[in-house]
Amino acid sequence: MRRAALFFDGKGCHGRLTVERATFGCAGPLTILATVNKPMIQTALENGKYEVIGLLKSRRAKQAARLAKTLVTKSPKDPSLRFLSGLVCLSQDNKTMAAKHFSNAIKLGSKDVAAFTNLATLQMSMKASKAADKTLALAVKTFGDDNFQVLHLMAMLRMEEGQTAEALELAEKCIALEGTRVEAWVFKGRILRSQGHLFDAIESFQTAMSLAPDSIDSLVNLSWLFAFTNQNEEALRITEDAVKCLPNSMNLRAQLAQRYTEAGRFDDAIEMFHSLCGTPEYRPMALRVLAQISPEGALPDLIARAAKAVRTTKDAEALGQLHLAMHMAHQRSAASDAKKLSLGTANGFLARARPYSSQDDEAYHAAIKATYDAEMEVSAGQSDRGAPVPI
């Protein structure tokens, strides 16, 4: 008998059992009527849960949804079935129904912390911060204030609300509870970076790296932090490591191309920027930089590629970058008439993409000045507690 395939659709203690015909020496499934007792029904429900999990693991979400719905109908007050139904809805990207099932599981007395954390995570993703706060408060009441996952989510929520001091305090509690959890150190680093404490952030990300050398979050953040603090050799090394871990990440490849350019490794930079030209999102930027660093003999081809891209591009920002690429290439090849035309067109598109605002401009330069002052304080050894850094 295949226990995982036990289903009951009758009333009381009567139902149907699906068994393997092989049990009776013949092929195929056979449905027979049987009189069963409550322990057998409970066993069937438990086996049904395992089958739902198996279907989810094999990515058969529709079959899992049908089975979960049947099980919930037979035992509507079982919190574990509600929780399982929430997981099924998540696999189908139905956040609203998943949140409803997790909420019902909690109301039915679920003692699984994942019901609380999954619900809070969904509420945060749906920008329902007050609801998430209530869910996490209930989780603390149920499981105490020493549950790592609950505290970690509370820290993330405080961060989203802009309460960085409270978020950092909660992150420290998480580390005190489980100091070997990489995500705790990564999150602490993000908080410190947002506060402008760049060297403290570097230390936090480096700790995360010591726990997990292939931590992508740590690699990406350290790449930016080392570059921003003018530690260019470290920035290049870390970015190379990140690209090895995620070779198909265009964002990381773009960062590495920039690092190569800053280090004067133009051949490597040119190769990397050419690899980015195959992606429409990065093509305008790549062509613009290539127009600056490519050998003069490659400029006519770059101009032709930029002109071709212009004909298929509608985004104003991208068009501005492409015309700027043509302008730079023409300028280097001494085609004065063409360069003036390209520059004027580029300026028009870029102005359309980023309309001038005196208020935004003032705020932007104020942020840049605050960042520069903070960096100078750190460099001078006066303080590592600067103004917030624009992310």
Side-chain angles (χ1 to χ4, degrees):
M1 182 179 293
R2 206 176 76 191
R3 296 177 65 195
L6 292 174
F7 298 97
F8 297 86
D9 54 7
K11 296 181 179 180
C13 292
H14 299 279
R16 290 192 310 206
L17 291 142
T18 300
V19 300
E20 295 292 344
R21 283 183 182 269
T23 306
F24 304 99
C26 52
L30 173 69
T31 300
I32 60 174
L33 291 175
T35 299
V36 295
N37 54 30
K38 289 183 178 179
M40 289 181 68
I41 294 175
Q42 192 61 37
T43 300
L45 290 171
E46 292 301 319
N47 287 328
K49 295 175 189 177
Y50 285 120
E51 186 164 354
V52 172
I53 294 171
L55 290 169
L56 286 176
K57 287 182 177 179
S58 60
R59 298 184 179 181
R60 292 188 286 173
K62 289 184 179 180
Q63 295 93 319
R66 286 196 294 268
L67 178 53
K69 185 177 180 180
T70 300
L71 294 173
V72 168
T73 302
K74 303 309 169 189
S75 185
K77 293 185 178 181
D78 186 337
S80 63
L81 284 175
R82 296 288 184 173
F83 173 74
L84 199 55
S85 297
L87 295 181
V88 172
C89 290
L90 275 183
S91 71
Q92 297 177 313
D93 201 29
N94 190 339
K95 295 182 179 180
T96 302
M97 282 305 299
K100 182 178 179 180
H101 281 300
F102 290 136
S103 180
N104 285 333
I106 293 170
K107 290 176 182 177
L108 290 170
S110 175
K111 298 301 180 183
D112 190 339
V113 69
F116 293 80
T117 56
N118 284 351
L119 177 59
T121 301
L122 285 170
Q123 289 167 334
M124 289 166 64
S125 71
M126 294 185 286
K127 307 301 180 185
S129 57
K130 290 184 179 180
D133 206 7
K134 289 181 180 179
T135 300
L136 292 172
L138 182 58
V140 170
K141 184 178 179 180
T142 306
F143 303 102
D145 60 354
D146 58 350
N147 183 280
F148 175 89
Q149 194 61 32
V150 173
L151 290 177
H152 186 61
L153 281 174
M154 290 179 72
M156 293 175 65
L157 182 58
R158 296 293 174 266
M159 182 71 172
E160 286 186 3
E161 294 171 344
Q163 302 177 41
T164 56
E166 292 83 351
L168 183 58
E169 183 180 347
L170 287 165
E172 294 283 9
K173 286 183 179 179
C174 290
I175 290 172
L177 283 171
E178 298 188 38
T180 58
R181 295 284 289 265
V182 176
E183 61 267 37
W185 290 99
V186 168
F187 189 66
K188 180 183 176 181
R190 286 176 175 169
I191 298 171
L192 291 167
R193 170 180 158 168
S194 73
Q195 292 177 326
H197 309 329
L198 304 188
F199 290 95
D200 286 344
I202 287 174
E203 288 183 10
S204 187
F205 287 121
Q206 285 178 325
T207 302
M209 285 284 294
S210 69
L211 295 170
D214 59 348
S215 168
I216 296 299
D217 283 338
S218 302
L219 288 168
V220 171
N221 279 283
L222 282 173
S223 171
W224 184 90
L225 286 164
F226 282 134
F228 192 85
T229 54
N230 296 320
Q231 302 179 63
N232 295 327
E233 291 184 5
E234 284 296 303
L236 177 56
R237 179 183 64 80
I238 288 291
T239 311
E240 285 180 327
D241 289 344
V243 171
K244 288 177 184 176
C245 292
L246 281 178
N248 296 323
S249 170
M250 293 297 105
N251 182 36
L252 286 176
R253 294 177 75 85
Q255 290 186 43
L256 182 56
Q258 186 61 34
R259 299 289 93 80
Y260 282 145
T261 304
E262 293 166 355
R265 292 171 54 176
F266 295 117
D267 289 342
D268 291 328
I270 288 170
E271 181 181 354
M272 191 62 67
F273 278 120
H274 273 298
S275 74
L276 293 168
C277 287
T279 306
E281 181 183 355
Y282 291 92
R283 184 182 298 132
M285 177 275 296
L287 288 173
R288 176 179 59 77
V289 181
L290 284 169
Q292 295 174 281
I293 64 176
S294 295
E296 189 172 339
L299 296 178
D301 178 61
L302 285 175
I303 293 171
R305 292 173 69 181
K308 181 180 178 180
V310 164
R311 292 194 292 271
T312 59
T313 302
K314 296 181 179 180
D315 179 72
E317 174 78 17
L319 286 168
Q321 295 266 16
L322 289 168
H323 281 286
L324 199 56
M326 287 191 288
H327 159 69
M328 291 175 175
H330 282 307
Q331 186 179 45
R332 290 184 60 204
S333 60
S336 58
D337 292 339
K339 78 178 181 184
K340 289 178 181 177
L341 176 62
S342 296
L343 181 59
T345 308
N347 285 337
F349 279 115
L350 290 173
R352 189 188 308 171
R354 295 190 295 266
Y356 178 75
S357 164
S358 59
Q359 185 176 356
D360 291 345
D361 186 67
E362 183 179 351
Y364 173 76
H365 285 96
I368 291 294
K369 184 179 184 302
T371 299
Y372 177 80
D373 290 343
E375 185 182 357
M376 289 302 99
E377 286 184 7
V378 173
S379 301
Q382 297 174 8
S383 170
D384 63 351
R385 296 290 187 267
V389 177
I391 303 302

